[in-house]
Structure formats: C-alpha cells, structure tokens
C-alpha cells in the first residue's frame, strides 16, 4: 500500500512539470505581459525597461527554468502585477475554493446519492420518474445561467413578490457582506448558499444518475439474492450490500470531481465574485501574470493526482477484493 | 452496519470541521476598527465596482486599470495638477497655484525647461499630521523611475533633477521642453507619496500591495481585500470644502451585469458606474428610487486601417473608398443609440471634444456614404467589380478582414449589420475575430489584421506621437515595442507631431493639432465613430449631491464623492 502511494506521488512530479511547461508555452504564445500592461500611450523606452525589470527579455526556456527551480525550493515567485509574493494570495484563494467545494460537495453528494438510492429501490415509481425528469433538467442547466437566475430570484423577484425591502440571500461581497467585520460564521454560510446551489444543480443530477444505475445493477446481482435467501432483512441487504457496492463506480467520478475543486469553480466564482481559485485564475490570466498562474497550475495538478489516489485507496475500503498494490 | 454509519458520521464531522477552519483562514475580510468618531461626516454607503484591481500600488502594474484609480489613488493620494470637470488642468489643493508662463512657474525651453511648484503650507499627511513637502515630490518622481515594473515612466524620464530649495517649493528641471508636465505627478494617474513611509527607498515594486497607510486626500484607505474596499472620511484634510459628508464608503466588486443590476435595484449598493450597453441601460431606467445619468468618457472608438505593406489598406485609395462606403450615421443609430441615446459622431481622428480644445470636431464631417466617390477611388487603384459584383483586381477578389474582440456584442452586432451592407457596395468583408488578449496583446502589435474596431484613450495632453509617428512603428529600432500598430506613416504628420510636442504656446499648439487632424483625415487614417458614453446609476433614496459633476471626467463620478451625502 505504502509503495503504491509513494509511486503515485512520484508520478505527480513529471506530470506537474509537463503541465506547467505546457501552460507556460501556451501563455507565452497567446498573451504578453508587456502588452497587457498598456492601457494608454506608454513610451517605447518604458516598455523595454518594464520587460527587462521582469526578466521577460530572457530566453523562454531560461524563464521557465528559473520558475521551476525556485518553485521546488519553496519559492512560489512574485506576481508581475502586484510585485507581491504569490503564495499568500494563492493560499487564501485555495482555502476559499476548498470551503465552497466542500460545502457544495457535502450537499450535492448527499442529495444526489439519496435520490439515486430511492430511485433505484422504487424503480419506475412516481418519485423515480420525477427524479429522472428533474435530473435531465439539472444536467441541461448551465451554471452561469442558473447562478444568474438565483440572483434574480433572491433579488428583485423576492422583493417584489414578497414585499421585502431586502433580498432573501446576499449575493454581493464575496465571502461576507460588505458591512461585516471579521469572522462571522452565519454571514459566511449565507454567502455560500447561492454559489453552492449553483454548483450543485448539475452535480446532483449526475450523482443521482450514477447512483441509481449502480444500485440497480447491484440490487439485481446474484450475491444480493443469496443475501436475501439467508434471511437478512431487506433494509440490511440494501444498505450493507447494495449501497456499499454501488458506491464503487461513483468513487471514480467523485475522485476526479473533487480533485478539480482546487482548480477553482471558475464560472460560479466569477458570477458571485467569490475570491477563490477560479477568480484568481481569471485575474492572473487577464494580466498575463505567469508567475501567479504557474503555481496555480501546480496545485491543480497535485490536487487531481491526490484525489485520484484517494479514489483508488477508497476502492480497497469499499471492496476488499481490490488490492491497490 | 453500525461501524459503517459511525465512519460516515465521523467523515462528515471531519469535513464540516475542516470547512469551518478553512472558512476562518480563507476569508480575506479584515477587522474593522470602527472608524473615526468625528461628528462631521455621517453614515455609510456601499458602491459597486465593475472591475476589481489585484492590488493598490499606484505605480506598478496594479495601476494598469482605470478602476484602481477610481477606487483608491484619486481619493487617498494628493497630486500636483488635477483635472476640473471640463478636463482642464487646474491646481489641486496641494498647490497654491498652477504653474504657468504668466506666473513664472514655467520657464525656459529645451534643456533649461523648468516647472516650479509652490506647495500649500497647510497640506498635511494623515494620520501623522506631518507637512507634505517638496521632498515628498522628489521621492515620488524617483519612485516612478526606480520601481520595478513601473507602469509608465513617460514624462518622468524627461526630468533631469528636482530641486527642493525649501519644503514648500519643488523646482522640476526637464531635459527638453515637455508640454505634458501637468501629467507628471498629477493629472489622472500621477500621485505624491509620503517619503517617510518608505525608509527602504524609492523602489516600491513590492510596497502598497493591499494597503496605503497614509493619506493626502479627502479619504483614508482603511482596508482593501478581494471582497471590498473601505474608505473613511479624512476629517483632518486641509481643504475644508472637500472633507467628506459621508463617514464611510465601501466599494464591492459587482463584475457581472445581471448582478450589478440586481445589486442597485435591490439597494444592496447605492451607486454603480457601469459601461453602458444594451444589456444594462434598459434595465437601469429611471424609477421611483433609481436614476441613471449619462455623459461621455475620454475613450473614442474608431475603425482603424492597417497600413502595413502587404495589407489591402496600405492603399490610400482603398481607405478612401471604404470610408465613403461605411455609413457611420447608421452605426450610431442602430448600434450605439439603443444604449446611449444622446451619442453623436466624433469628427476627429484621435481627439475628442470633451477633452481640451484639441478636437475641432469638423475634420471628418464629410465622411459619409457616397457611391460615386467609392467607384472613383476604387477605379483609381485599378479595381473593377467582377461578375458577382465584388471589387477585384487582376482577377482576384478583394477580401477585407474585419477584426474585433470576441464577446463584445456591440462590435459583433456592427459586423453582423454592416458586412452585408458593404457587400452590396462590392466590398467582401469577412469577420476575423479573436479574444481580447489575442487582439490587443498579439495581433495588433504584430500588425496581423486588415481593419480593427477598438477604443483608444484621449489624454488631456494632445500628443499622439506614440501611436501615429513613423518612429513608433514596431521594428528593430524600438525592439518591436513601438505602438504604432496601424503602421501609419507620413513625414508631414511626423513633423507636425514633433512640432506640437515641443510647442509651449497653447494657441499655437492647438493650431498644430488641428493641422495634424486635417492631414490624418486626408490620409484616411481611420473612420472615427463615437466617443464612448459614461453612465452613473444611483439610488435616489440613498444618495444626494452633485453626482453628475464629473460625468465627463476620466476620474469618474466617484472623484467628488466628498460632496455627496447619504439620505
């Protein structure tokens, strides 16, 4: 087991290097920090000085090598835009995205799995039919559209139809209301509701469909019939044997899904002005800020590798027949 | 079964605890100290900002956003010269008067060109109360030159030295006559910094990332994060008429149009300053609690022709013919007026009527549809219409690529409407669009376009040398960094640009610029379209005061929010 984990972690290093190099080259081909800096008449001399100050006049490979060696020494670099170290801002963005990701995941995994289980147990019932219809509706609902609809619903729609002078839920201010000072758990949670809902609408649909399919396959398998023949109660058969085995295919999807959280939830964060990894990425990309983007990429790759590893390990926990080493 | 359930419960508990811990360390909100206890300014308001800068340093790349200027420096940091509501340079409260030739503040020429500033003795930094001195002026100049990644050293690099004979006098020596001196340490983006706060010296590349802990303006910056900016009234400001009436102003990012509209309509914010567009103007109509006011910005949008050899518009006759084929008035009516009802056509190549006397606003008035001229100019260049009615030469159809940045609905709508209209006149125009970054950072500098529709900014100083002079065409001489992206070149225009840049007499300079505008018109350098409109929407139940005073100003309406009151 330990050897498996170490081997997988070591594999992450070349993946990170390759990923960051591809990003570096792609950025270099499509953006230019010097030109991104221009918004009015700037002298040629100033631009040349700017390029030199930031080391952009060095050969491309040398620029990348400088970044890479510093990164592996724990120096995440300095932003071209702000001149400030990249890590503090990246750390805050990562934490914010993880909070949103975890809260949303808790919600959509729980609801999605619950719907999937009930749908499978009561196949072709009115609940199953309704869940199936709604899941297609959810799958077809793009987050950017749903996010904006929720803002209108809790905003002018709620005020007009419920004769209120304030919106039902806050939708400005990022993680807190503008008037909040310091840590306020209630306000923080209120600000998570709309982004988490926006993230969840498609995910619930996906998880419920996966779970329903997995449960149906398991419920009709031979070992389930054996378990029932042994006289084990239907509830125990379903939850102990069916549910656990149905989770295995879902685990693969969840591993990839959770891993992507560190990359930020670009659309949702952008709509709600939520200062996470997605917004960080967009801002840095807009400024062609390589030093800010490359560590972002490293974290995303590391996260995807880590969560895939966790998914692999969880197979063993869910199905003792699977041995990871 | 029980073990499994317990494991799940423990897992959920761990996740919840982790979320709580992360939420405590992840948020970027800062603790408030409650602000000033002065009995003067009262109340608190929240405004929305369409864009959010990464940081607040007014010198390095953070300043590469108009919104940074509108959010921080104009409220917190003093300047030497400032702009009045008609965009003329005037003395800021930091000066006793604006230097001029008449009052002896501007003297000499060439290497003896000197500007002498007299600082207001009452000017003091907050919160420490120390005077703002000529040493601060000198330090600010050095900071612009020595800061790593300084956004723009234009003008600052033409200063040879700054003398400080006494704390209230700064004598600025230039290496050559420099007419745009008011933009140095003043104007829209120039600032004065408190030298004592930077003991490490003038390289401020890593300073002022999220805080400016001193103020020489009507407001002090209490905090700046990714979520919000809090400004408090500077009750010790020496210019008493500019001490704010509101105690606290909070800006929050509302970068998405629907959210911005909802935020103002539900009273979450008291004012927004959006770019007017067809998707927000109809939603922000005046109502019982909402009012929208319109003005013009200093941004003008033209169709720019690429004169680079090998591109079709290197041919002046083709530029002329196309100019007389394009119906500017129809574009204004169909594309612009739906969101800017009062918009009018700009008639200058690179200036706008609202900024100084530089735009006579007559040079391009004759550029209107004229099929006879189109035929005549095309024939003069050897073009004839082929069997499909398209202009062709040597058996090859003329194909013009029209570049705009994808996602800009206004420009894309213009393409959709005008490409078929131009086809009827024999011009085969095709869209050739890319995303914003590619357009502005790659294709324009590389001259990789036939014609482009985009915005330029008119500064109070009328120089256009950087964007139209032959020497500014990207090439080895300027290490490819020149900004004359249209490759326009005319020795007569170069001469006028050079003469205008060195002319101190404003009347003569105005005349030179007007002559230059006429040459640009004769060369069909571009098709001027419009001066971009500005817009402020505010809650009438929350705000009152002279909210429209600076509607035409590059510093935005927020510039004079010291005079606004909370209802």
């Amino acid at each position: 087991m330990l050897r498996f984990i170490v081997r997988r972690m070591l594999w992450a290093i070349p993946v990170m290097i390759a990923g960051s190099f591809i990003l570096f080259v792609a950025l270099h081909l499509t953006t230019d920090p010097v030109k991104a800096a221009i918004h009015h008449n700037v002298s040629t001399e100033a631009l040349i000085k700017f390029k030199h100050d930031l080391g952009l006049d060095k050969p491309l490979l040398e620029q990348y090598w400088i970044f890479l060696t510093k990164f592996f020494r724990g120096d995440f670099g300095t932003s071209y835009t702000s001149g400030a170290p990249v890590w503090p801002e990246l750390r805050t963005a990562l934490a914010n995205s993880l909070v949103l990701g975890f809260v949303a995941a808790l919600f959509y995994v729980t609801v999605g799995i619950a719907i999937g289980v009930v749908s499978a147990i009561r196949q072709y019932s009115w609940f199953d039919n309704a869940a199936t219809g709604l899941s297609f509706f959810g799958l077809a609902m793009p987050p950017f559209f749903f996010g904006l609809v929720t803002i209108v619903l809790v905003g002018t729609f709620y005020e007009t139809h419920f004769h209120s002078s304030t919106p039902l839920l806050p939708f400005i201010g990022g993680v807190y209301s503008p008037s909040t000072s310091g840590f306020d758990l209630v306000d923080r949670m209120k600000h998570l509701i709309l982004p988490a809902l926006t993230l969840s609408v498609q995910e619930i649909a996906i998880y419920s469909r996966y779970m329903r399919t997995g449960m149906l396959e398991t419920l009709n398998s031979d070992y389930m019939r054996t378990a029932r023949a042994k006289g084990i109660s239907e509830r125990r058969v379903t939850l102990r044997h069916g549910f656990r085995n149905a989770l295995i295919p879902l685990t693969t999807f969840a591993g990839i899904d959770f891993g992507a959280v560190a990359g930020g939830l670009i659309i949702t964060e952008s709509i709600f002005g939520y200062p996470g990894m997605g917004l960080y990425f967009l801002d840095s990309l807009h400024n062609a800020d390589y030093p800010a983007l490359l560590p972002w990429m490293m974290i995303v790759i590391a996260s995807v590798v880590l969560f895939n590893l966790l998914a692999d390990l969880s197979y063993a926990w869910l199905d003792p027949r699977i041995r990871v080493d | 079964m029980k073990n499994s359930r317990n494991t799940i419960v423990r897992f959920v508990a761990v996740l919840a605890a982790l979320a709580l811990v992360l939420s405590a360390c992840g948020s970027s909100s800062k603790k408030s100290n409650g602000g000033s206890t002065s009995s003067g300014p009262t109340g608190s308001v929240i405004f929305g900002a369409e864009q959010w800068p990464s940081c607040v340093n007014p010198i390095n790349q953070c300043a590469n956003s108009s919104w940074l200027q509108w959010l921080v420096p104009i409220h917190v940091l003093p300047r030497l010269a400032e702009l009045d509501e008609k965009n003329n340079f005037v003395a800021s409260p930091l000066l006793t008067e604006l230097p001029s030739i008449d009052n002896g503040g501007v003297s000499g020429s060439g290497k003896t060109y000197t500007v002498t500033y007299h600082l207001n003795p009452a000017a003091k930094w907050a919160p420490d109360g120390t005077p703002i001195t000529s040493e601060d002026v000198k330090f600010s100049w050095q900071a612009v030159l020595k800061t790593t990644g300084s956004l723009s050293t234009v003008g600052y690099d033409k200063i040879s030295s700054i003398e400080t004979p006494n704390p209230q006098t700064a004598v600025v020596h230039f290496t050559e006559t420099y007419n745009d001196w008011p933009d140095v340490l003043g104007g829209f983006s120039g600032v004065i910094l408190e030298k004592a706060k930077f003991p490490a010296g003038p390289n401020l590349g890593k300073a002022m990332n999220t805080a400016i802990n001193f103020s020489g303006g009507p407001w002090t910056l209490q905090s700046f994060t990714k979520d919000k900016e809090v400004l408090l009234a500077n009750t010790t400001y020496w210019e008493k008429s500019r001490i704010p009436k509101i105690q606290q102003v909070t800006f929050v990012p509302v970068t998405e149009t629907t959210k911005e509209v909802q935020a103002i309509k539900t009273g979450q914010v008291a004012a927004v300053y959006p770019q007017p567009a067809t998707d927000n103007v109809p939603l922000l109509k005046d109502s019982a609690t909402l009012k929208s006011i319109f003005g013009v910005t200093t941004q003008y949008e033209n169709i720019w022709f690429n004169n680079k050899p090998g591109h079709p518009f290197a041919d002046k006759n083709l530029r002329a013919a196309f100019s007389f084929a394009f119906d500017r008035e129809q574009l204004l009516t169909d594309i612009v007026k739906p969101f800017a009802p009062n918009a009018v056509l700009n008639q200058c190549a690179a200036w706008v009527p609202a900024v100084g006397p530089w735009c006579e606003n007559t040079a391009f008035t004759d550029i209107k549809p004229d099929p006879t001229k189109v035929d005549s100019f095309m024939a003069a260049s050897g073009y004839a219409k082929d069997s499909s009615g398209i202009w062709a030469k040597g058996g090859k159809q003329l194909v013009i690529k029209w570049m705009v940045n994808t996602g800009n609905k206004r420009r894309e709508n213009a393409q959709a409407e005008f490409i078929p209209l131009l086809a009827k006149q024999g011009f085969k125009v095709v869209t050739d669009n890319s995303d914003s970054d590619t357009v502005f950072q790659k294709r324009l500098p590389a001259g990789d376009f036939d014609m482009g529709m985009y915005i330029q900014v008119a500064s109070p100083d009328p120089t256009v040398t950087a964007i139209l002079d032959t020497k500014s065409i990207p090439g080895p001489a300027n290490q490819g960094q020149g900004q004359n992206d249209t490759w326009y070149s005319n020795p007569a225009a170069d001469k006028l640009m050079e003469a205008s840049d060195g002319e101190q007499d404003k009347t003569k300079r105005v005349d030179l610029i007007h002559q230059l505008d006429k040459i640009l018109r004769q060369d069909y350098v571009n098709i001027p379209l419009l001066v971009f409109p500005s817009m402020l929407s505010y809650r009438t139940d929350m705000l009152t005061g002279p909210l429209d005073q600076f509607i035409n100003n590059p510093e935005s309406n927020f510039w004079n929010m010291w005079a606004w009151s909370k209802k």
Side-chain angles (χ1 to χ4, degrees), chain A residues 14-33 60 63-64 67-68 71 90 263 266 277 280-282 284-286 288-301:
Chain A
V15 173
M16 285 165 81
I17 292 172
S20 64
F21 184 72
I22 291 168
L23 180 76
F24 184 79
V25 172
L27 283 171
H28 191 83
L29 292 175
T30 54
T31 60
D32 181 348
L60 190 63
Q63 288 180 46
Y64 178 71
F67 157 74
L68 200 64
F71 181 83
L90 190 57
I266 293 175
M277 292 287 273
Y280 174 95
F281 171 77
L282 285 179
S284 305
L285 188 67
H286 177 69
D289 198 342
Y290 303 147
L293 283 167
L294 292 173
W296 175 91
M297 186 67 168
M298 294 296 207
I299 286 174
V300 173
I301 294 172

Side-chain angles (χ1 to χ4, degrees), chain A residues 101 103-113 196 199-201 203-204 207-208 257-258 261:
Chain A
V103 170
L106 264 179
F107 178 66
Y108 66 66
V109 170
T110 310
V111 175
I113 288 177
L199 278 173
S200 299
V201 67
E203 298 287 351
I204 289 174
Y207 276 81
S208 65
D257 188 37
F258 295 161
V261 165

Side-chain angles (χ1 to χ4, degrees), chain B residues 297-350:
Chain B
T297 63
T298 57
Q299 299 174 340
Y300 57 95
E301 187 169 60
N302 294 357
I303 286 178
W304 294 85
F305 298 122
N306 186 4
N307 295 250
K308 191 177 179 181
H311 287 262
F313 286 117
D315 177 352
K316 181 179 166 185
N317 283 325
L318 180 58
R319 297 201 298 273
F322 195 88
S323 297
F324 286 112
F326 195 92
D327 191 342
R328 299 192 295 155
E329 200 66 56
Q330 184 172 341
L331 181 133
L332 193 74
T333 306
D334 295 352
I335 306 290
V336 181
K337 287 200 172 177
F339 68 89
N342 304 324
V344 291
L345 286 174
N346 190 24
Q347 306 291 6
C348 292

